[in-house]
Amino acid sequence: QVQLVESGGGLVQAGGSLRLSCAASGSISSIKTMGWYRQAPGKQRELVAAITSGGTPTYADSVKGQFTISTDNAKSTVYLQMNSLEPEDTAVYYCNVKTYGLVPRTYWGQGTQVTVSS
Protein backbone atom coordinates (compact mmCIF):
# COMPACT_ATOMS: atom_id res chain seq x y z
CA GLN A 1 0.00 0.00 0.00
CA VAL A 2 1.08 3.55 -0.74
CA GLN A 3 -0.27 6.66 0.96
CA LEU A 4 0.09 10.09 -0.64
CA VAL A 5 -0.08 13.53 0.98
CA GLU A 6 -0.07 16.62 -1.22
CA SER A 7 0.81 20.19 -0.34
CA GLY A 8 1.82 23.47 -1.95
CA GLY A 9 -1.32 24.58 -3.74
CA GLY A 10 -2.68 28.08 -3.43
CA LEU A 11 -3.56 31.34 -5.12
CA VAL A 12 -1.00 33.13 -7.29
CA GLN A 13 -1.03 35.92 -9.84
CA ALA A 14 -0.37 35.31 -13.52
CA GLY A 15 3.33 35.01 -14.17
CA GLY A 16 4.02 33.70 -10.70
CA SER A 17 5.43 30.38 -9.54
CA LEU A 18 4.33 27.60 -7.26
CA ARG A 19 5.83 24.30 -6.15
CA LEU A 20 3.67 21.29 -5.37
CA SER A 21 4.87 18.43 -3.19
CA CYS A 22 3.61 14.89 -2.78
CA ALA A 23 5.04 12.70 -0.03
CA ALA A 24 4.62 8.95 -0.38
CA SER A 25 4.74 6.42 2.43
CA GLY A 26 4.26 2.67 2.66
CA SER A 27 5.64 0.34 0.01
CA ILE A 28 8.02 2.88 -1.50
CA SER A 29 10.24 0.26 -3.11
CA SER A 30 7.35 -0.86 -5.30
CA ILE A 31 6.88 2.53 -7.00
CA LYS A 32 7.29 2.51 -10.77
CA THR A 33 6.29 6.07 -11.61
CA MET A 34 5.22 9.22 -9.78
CA GLY A 35 3.39 12.05 -11.45
CA TRP A 36 0.83 14.80 -11.52
CA TYR A 37 -2.57 15.10 -13.16
CA ARG A 38 -4.88 18.09 -13.15
CA GLN A 39 -8.57 18.66 -13.64
CA ALA A 40 -10.09 22.03 -14.42
CA PRO A 41 -13.81 22.76 -13.98
CA GLY A 42 -15.82 21.14 -16.76
CA LYS A 43 -12.78 19.37 -18.21
CA GLN A 44 -11.34 15.86 -18.11
CA ARG A 45 -8.45 14.96 -15.86
CA GLU A 46 -5.20 15.15 -17.82
CA LEU A 47 -1.63 14.07 -17.30
CA VAL A 48 0.71 16.97 -16.56
CA ALA A 49 4.03 15.26 -15.87
CA ALA A 50 5.44 11.96 -14.68
CA ILE A 51 8.81 10.57 -13.67
CA THR A 52 10.04 6.98 -13.49
CA SER A 53 11.89 5.44 -10.58
CA GLY A 54 14.99 5.75 -12.76
CA GLY A 55 14.53 9.50 -13.06
CA THR A 56 13.21 9.80 -16.62
CA PRO A 57 10.60 12.59 -16.91
CA THR A 58 7.78 13.10 -19.36
CA TYR A 59 5.58 16.18 -19.82
CA ALA A 60 2.38 17.17 -21.48
CA ASP A 61 3.10 19.37 -24.48
CA SER A 62 1.12 22.18 -22.89
CA VAL A 63 3.53 22.52 -19.95
CA LYS A 64 6.85 21.55 -21.50
CA GLY A 65 9.42 24.19 -20.64
CA GLN A 66 7.09 25.70 -18.03
CA PHE A 67 6.83 22.96 -15.40
CA THR A 68 9.56 20.73 -13.98
CA ILE A 69 9.03 17.43 -12.19
CA SER A 70 11.58 16.00 -9.78
CA THR A 71 12.00 13.67 -6.81
CA ASP A 72 14.07 13.69 -3.66
CA ASN A 73 17.07 11.40 -3.22
CA ALA A 74 14.99 8.72 -1.53
CA LYS A 75 12.44 8.79 -4.39
CA SER A 76 9.65 9.12 -1.82
CA THR A 77 8.60 12.69 -2.59
CA VAL A 78 7.70 14.11 -5.99
CA TYR A 79 7.68 17.83 -6.76
CA LEU A 80 6.15 19.90 -9.50
CA GLN A 81 7.78 23.29 -10.01
CA MET A 82 5.33 25.49 -11.91
CA ASN A 83 6.64 28.70 -13.45
CA SER A 84 5.06 31.40 -15.61
CA LEU A 85 1.62 30.39 -14.41
CA GLU A 86 -1.42 31.49 -16.39
CA PRO A 87 -5.15 31.37 -15.59
CA GLU A 88 -5.46 28.32 -17.87
CA ASP A 89 -3.32 26.42 -15.35
CA THR A 90 -6.06 26.78 -12.73
CA ALA A 91 -7.15 23.30 -11.68
CA VAL A 92 -7.12 20.73 -8.93
CA TYR A 93 -3.77 18.95 -9.13
CA TYR A 94 -3.59 15.29 -8.14
CA CYS A 95 -0.51 13.28 -7.26
CA ASN A 96 -0.39 9.87 -8.92
CA VAL A 97 1.72 6.80 -8.17
CA LYS A 98 1.91 3.54 -10.11
CA THR A 99 3.48 0.43 -8.61
CA TYR A 100 5.13 -2.77 -9.71
CA GLY A 101 3.76 -6.09 -8.54
CA LEU A 102 1.78 -9.13 -9.48
CA VAL A 103 -1.19 -6.76 -9.58
CA PRO A 104 -0.01 -3.27 -10.63
CA ARG A 105 -1.85 -0.55 -8.76
CA THR A 106 -2.53 3.16 -9.09
CA TYR A 107 -2.80 5.51 -6.12
CA TRP A 108 -4.09 9.07 -5.95
CA GLY A 109 -3.47 11.96 -3.62
CA GLN A 110 -6.30 14.01 -2.19
CA GLY A 111 -5.83 16.85 -4.67
CA THR A 112 -4.63 20.40 -4.12
CA GLN A 113 -6.21 23.52 -5.62
CA VAL A 114 -4.10 25.81 -7.78
CA THR A 115 -5.73 29.10 -8.74
CA VAL A 116 -4.03 31.62 -11.02
CA SER A 117 -5.55 35.09 -11.18
CA SER A 118 -5.12 37.56 -14.02
Side-chain angles (χ1 to χ4, degrees), residues 58-72:
T58 59
Y59 298 93
D61 288 341
S62 60
V63 305
K64 208 165 189 177
Q66 179 189 2
F67 293 179
T68 302
I69 190 169
S70 63
T71 60
D72 64 357

Side-chain angles (χ1 to χ4, degrees), residues 8-104:
L11 174 65
V12 298
Q13 292 185 326
S17 298
L18 205 60
R19 189 178 75 160
L20 305 183
S21 299
C22 177
S25 61
S27 300
I28 304 302
S29 62
S30 69
I31 293 176
K32 181 180 180 180
T33 64
M34 306 182 79
W36 295 92
Y37 288 70
R38 67 185 180 186
Q39 187 166 24
K43 297 183 179 180
Q44 293 182 309
R45 187 173 300 185
E46 63 177 354
L47 174 68
V48 177
I51 189 166
T52 69
S53 60
T56 301
T58 59
Y59 298 93
D61 288 341
S62 60
V63 305
K64 208 165 189 177
Q66 179 189 2
F67 293 179
T68 302
I69 190 169
S70 63
T71 60
D72 64 357
N73 290 334
K75 305 295 180 67
S76 62
T77 302
V78 62
Y79 305 94
L80 186 67
Q81 179 65 47
M82 304 184 293
N83 298 324
S84 301
L85 286 164
E86 300 291 342
E88 65 186 5
D89 297 313
T90 295
V92 177
Y93 285 71
Y94 295 92
C95 182
N96 171 270
V97 165
K98 294 180 171 61
T99 63
Y100 296 104
L102 295 177
V103 181

